[in-house]
């Protein structure tokens, strides 16, 4: 699939690292990237895969997760259009540590390892972005340990939604999320019915508004700090 579509360029234009590139760097990035369609339920990548690309979501919704040897699924985060992932495995030259599954039909941009390494060697702003993104992801994963160990479901749903609004991890997220309650359940490791109960509570608290086919976030900080009593 060609990267000349307006939707791809719109996503790239609102991505922090792309805005920092000069014209020559941007031209190489656009020439080297390819785009792949991943149907709902399909894998963008799988745990154990060799890592040859930095990957970005140009359209859709992905879930980053891992399955334990006992069969328990641990969900790390959701990724919306504009989010990029896999830099840690590229930097460490290791195999993929997690699965990434499309929760709806999605399009994925693939930057080859050679282009990624070239940007590291030639763009200080790109390096600065990666440093900030890795810091944001570390903070997210630390908070996920807290959620799993100390928060009940209502608060976990609130924090999972708030995590979609990090400017480094999901820069294109707007306050109106086109996301189903079933998808929220997948991201928060709970059932659709239990996610619905949590969302209704958060709506009563004035933190969000439920709408047909989505959710409008009214108070991101309130979601980050929410603890049910």
């Amino acid at each position: 699939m060609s990267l000349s579509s307006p939707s791809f360029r719109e996503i790239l234009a609102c991505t922090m690292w792309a805005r920092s590139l000069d014209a020559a760097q941007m031209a190489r990035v656009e020439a080297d990237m390819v785009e792949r369609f991943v149907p709902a339920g399909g894998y963008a990548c799988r745990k154990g895969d060799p890592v040859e690309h930095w990957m970005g979501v140009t359209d859709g919704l992905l879930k980053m997760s891992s399955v334990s040897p006992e069969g328990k699924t641990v969900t790390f985060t959701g990724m919306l259009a504009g989010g990029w992932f896999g830099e840690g495995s590229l930097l460490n030259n290791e195999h993929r540590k997690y699965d990434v599954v499309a929760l709806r039909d999605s399009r994925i941009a693939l930057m080859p390892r050679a282009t990624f390494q070239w940007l590291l060697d030639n763009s200080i702003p790109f390096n600065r972005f990666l440093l900030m993104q890795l810091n944001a992801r570390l903070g997210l994963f630390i908070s996920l340990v807290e959620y799993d160990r100390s928060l009940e479901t209502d608060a976990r749903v609130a924090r999972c939604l708030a995590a979609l609004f990090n400017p480094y991890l999901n820069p294109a997220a707007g306050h109106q999320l086109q996301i189903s309650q079933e998808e929220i359940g997948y991201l928060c490791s709970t059932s659709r019915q239990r996610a619905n109960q949590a969302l209704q509570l958060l709506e009563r608290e004035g933190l969000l508004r439920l709408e047909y086919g989505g959710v409008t976030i009214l108070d991101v900080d309130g979601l980050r700090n929410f603890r049910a009593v």
Side-chain angles (χ1 to χ4, degrees):
M1 184 181 295
S2 170
L3 290 186
S4 61
S5 61
S7 59
F8 172 81
R9 294 184 184 278
E10 289 171 5
I11 292 298
L12 210 57
C14 70
T15 303
M16 291 184 184
W17 67 264
R19 292 200 304 263
S20 71
L21 303 183
D22 62 32
Q25 292 166 343
M26 198 59 207
R28 171 162 178 173
V29 165
E30 292 186 4
D32 291 351
M33 277 195 193
V34 294
E35 193 176 44
R36 180 161 63 91
F37 173 77
V38 182
Y43 286 86
C45 58
R46 302 199 70 159
K47 186 175 182 179
D49 284 349
V51 180
E52 297 300 333
H53 297 89
W54 194 38
M55 306 179 76
V57 188
T58 56
D59 186 48
L61 174 65
L62 305 183
K63 179 182 75 167
M64 181 186 292
S65 62
S66 182
V67 180
S68 73
E70 296 74 29
K72 179 182 178 182
T73 299
V74 178
T75 298
F76 300 124
T77 188
M79 291 171 290
L80 300 164
W84 290 77
F85 60 94
E87 62 280 348
S89 296
L90 278 173
L91 292 169
N92 292 329
N93 195 26
E94 62 188 12
H95 286 68
R96 192 79 60 186
K97 298 294 187 182
Y98 46 78
D99 297 319
V100 176
V101 179
L103 297 183
R104 65 176 75 136
D105 288 351
S106 301
R107 301 202 320 274
I108 311 297
L110 306 175
M111 178 188 290
R113 176 189 292 274
T115 310
F116 181 86
Q117 295 289 349
W118 181 79
L119 286 175
L120 286 178
D121 293 339
N122 290 278
S123 175
I124 291 175
F126 184 73
N127 281 269
R128 185 177 295 113
F129 168 83
L130 284 181
L131 179 64
M132 297 301 294
Q133 173 155 297
L134 287 167
N135 184 61
R137 206 178 300 283
L138 175 62
L140 170 64
F141 289 163
I142 289 174
S143 68
L144 287 174
V145 174
E146 175 195 3
Y147 303 168
D148 187 59
R149 294 183 179 179
S150 64
L151 297 181
E152 47 69 54
T153 303
D154 295 328
R156 193 165 72 247
V157 170
R159 304 296 178 86
C160 286
L161 287 173
L164 296 176
F165 291 88
N166 185 292
Y168 286 94
L169 303 180
N170 282 309
H175 285 282
Q176 191 171 31
L177 294 175
Q178 297 301 310
I179 185 171
S180 71
Q181 293 181 12
E182 183 176 23
E183 290 168 340
I184 292 171
Y186 286 140
L187 293 179
C188 303
S189 299
T190 191
S191 67
R192 184 195 65 78
Q193 293 82 0
R194 186 62 184 88
N196 175 263
Q197 294 174 11
L199 290 168
Q200 290 186 32
L201 172 62
L202 297 172
E203 184 175 45
R204 291 195 298 271
E205 294 290 327
L207 303 178
L208 55 81
R209 184 172 62 250
L210 297 176
E211 298 171 344
Y212 180 76
V215 177
T216 294
I217 305 302
L218 304 177
D219 185 351
V220 175
D221 288 336
L223 290 173
R224 289 194 181 105
N225 298 311
F226 179 81
R227 282 185 180 272
V229 294

